[in-house]
Amino acid sequence: MAATVGLLDFLAPAVADAADEDKKAALVLAAAYRPWCLPEGKQDEAHAWYAAWLLYQRKQQAAAAATVGVIPAGIASEKEGDLARSYRAGRTAGEAVDDPMGFYAQYERLAALCGYGAITVARPVYGCACQGY
């Protein structure tokens, strides 16, 4: 079973006013991020949280574009008179994503239950008399 619009509306009322087409698109995109190791119900919950995060990001971008136009990447604020700009610090790999409503944090909480698997790497064989080397 996949997460539904009803579950999305229940878990994330902040995005319940989004268009049904947008909700369905977010659920389709979020399906690829379902933590498959969890039971079906928890997978649906994680799926809905990820979709809510996508919808909230879209909502914030639309609101910012409607009020101030398009802000160039990396600029946190801009002022017209006596031009003043402040720039955002770049993110490092360890920093969290923008998540003011906590949707992504809820998704990560569930996805972390799966843990991380071991990585196995084959050691290359150099200088052997094997065929094809």
Side-chain angles (χ1 to χ4, degrees), residues 18 21 29 41 46 56 64 98 102-104 127:
E21 301 84 36
L29 289 170
Y56 191 74
D98 291 335
F103 298 142
Y104 191 78

Side-chain angles (χ1 to χ4, degrees), residues 96-124:
V97 296
D98 291 335
D99 187 26
M101 298 297 284
F103 298 142
Y104 191 78
Q106 291 291 345
Y107 164 77
E108 276 195 327
R109 176 185 59 83
L110 290 168
L113 294 175
C114 292
Y116 298 97
I119 298 174
T120 57
V121 179
R123 185 172 41 146

Side-chain angles (χ1 to χ4, degrees), residues 2-3 26-28 30-31 34-35 42-52 107:
L27 286 168
V28 167
R34 288 173 68 95
K42 290 295 181 187
Q43 285 183 33
D44 290 345
E45 183 183 347
H47 185 171
W49 282 122
Y50 198 89
Y107 164 77

Side-chain angles (χ1 to χ4, degrees), residues 77-85:
S77 66
E78 191 171 44
K79 180 181 160 189
E80 283 272 331
D82 293 339
L83 182 63
R85 285 186 175 171

